[in-house]
Amino acid sequence: MGQRGDEPAELLPPGQRVQRGWPVTHYGPVPKFRPERWEFSVFGATADGAKRSWNHDEFSALPYASVVADLHCVTKFSMLGSEWGGIPARTILETVPPAPAVSHVMVWAEYGYSANLRLADFGSDSALFATHKDGELLTAEHGFPLRLVVPHLYAWKGPKWVRGIEYMTADRRGFWEERGYHNLGDPWREQRYSYQEQPGDGPDL
Ligand SMILES: Nc1nc2c(c(=O)[nH]1)N[C@H]1C(S)=C(S)[C@@H](COP(=O)(O)O)O[C@H]1N2
Ligand SMILES: [Mo]
């Protein structure tokens, strides 16, 4: 039975409850957006070895798509059924292909926040660099101008204020993955904490 009573249980990963409204959850201050200094970069093990950057106008001109998806915070609230709009992560993979040896992606945000993802998780159908939610531009505290949404993983895997990605040929832990959260972060398997990791789930701590 859903914890709110009218929410089908299969919509909610184990241990989660539905949140009304949209709380703000992050570590550190909200960065100020400076369009003239903003760029989105893809670097690391690209197929051609070159780094690629877009300024804000260029990045905003990439083809827009939307996904309806849920957000699951590891602190146990979930927000169901938001429509996220923006640039599919797969568009970035197609535009700047990774080298064949790339297995993981580090997503980098303002102030050095980072989250590591397996390449397949990053390239999943519903992973999106969101500029909008439910038709409205993101607000500063929710990640404007750009945040990553990876609906099938806990929300810490989706940095707000994202500035680029690094293609990696081996896994490395991101900000929260170094600080006690699970390296993989699948909410359906309740992979919340690093002490739950099985051999092979992540690099040594
Ligand atoms: N840059 C950055 N992105 C972040 C975080 C953060 O601390 N810094 N926290 C994550 C966590 S734990 C959650 S639950 C979501 C919350 O997004 P919201 O504040 O828009 O609800 O942002 C994620 N993205
Ligand atoms: Mo979270």
Side-chain angles (χ1 to χ4, degrees):
M1 204 171 44
Q3 297 196 16
R4 212 183 63 203
D6 57 354
E7 209 63 64
E10 63 271 20
L11 288 180
L12 274 182
Q16 295 295 111
R17 57 180 180 271
V18 173
Q19 173 82 37
R20 295 289 186 190
W22 191 8
V24 172
T25 314
H26 59 262
Y27 177 82
V30 174
K32 186 168 164 44
F33 174 53
R34 294 186 177 82
E36 70 287 355
R37 282 198 223 162
W38 192 93
E39 58 172 23
F40 184 93
S41 300
V42 181
F43 58 100
T46 58
D48 66 4
K51 173 181 168 176
R52 172 76 189 273
S53 298
W54 292 260
N55 67 27
H56 190 250
D57 286 344
E58 291 163 347
F59 197 82
S60 306
L62 291 171
Y64 186 91
S66 61
V67 296
V68 174
D70 307 331
L71 180 147
H72 306 297
C73 176
V74 69
T75 64
K76 301 200 168 178
F77 75 81
S78 291
M79 188 174 68
L80 302 182
S82 299
E83 188 200 328
W84 301 96
I87 293 99
R90 193 169 288 161
T91 301
I92 304 303
L93 288 174
E94 288 165 2
T95 310
V96 189
V102 169
S103 57
H104 293 79
V105 172
M106 189 72 83
V107 184
W108 288 101
E110 302 285 355
Y111 301 133
Y113 185 88
S114 60
N116 57 318
L117 295 166
R118 294 180 291 200
L119 183 61
D121 287 323
F122 179 77
S124 75
D125 280 339
S126 50
L128 181 92
F129 289 99
T131 54
H132 290 73
K133 180 182 159 294
D134 297 322
E136 307 216 358
L137 211 53
L138 294 173
T139 57
E141 61 271 26
H142 286 302
F144 178 81
L146 195 68
R147 73 182 291 165
L148 181 65
V149 175
V150 187
H152 68 286
L153 300 178
Y154 284 118
W156 87 75
K157 291 286 192 182
K160 304 194 277 193
W161 314 296
V162 60
R163 290 289 301 275
I165 62 169
E166 176 186 356
Y167 291 150
M168 306 195 292
T169 55
D171 200 6
R172 225 163 69 216
R173 288 173 191 270
F175 182 86
W176 286 119
E177 295 82 2
E178 273 186 335
R179 290 168 176 77
Y181 284 142
H182 198 286
N183 190 57
L184 300 176
D186 179 349
W188 300 96
R189 303 175 71 185
E190 239 186 316
Q191 293 173 330
R192 296 179 191 274
Y193 308 112
S194 52
Y195 66 73
Q196 300 171 302
E197 287 175 18
Q198 303 295 310
D201 283 349
D204 288 347
L205 267 164

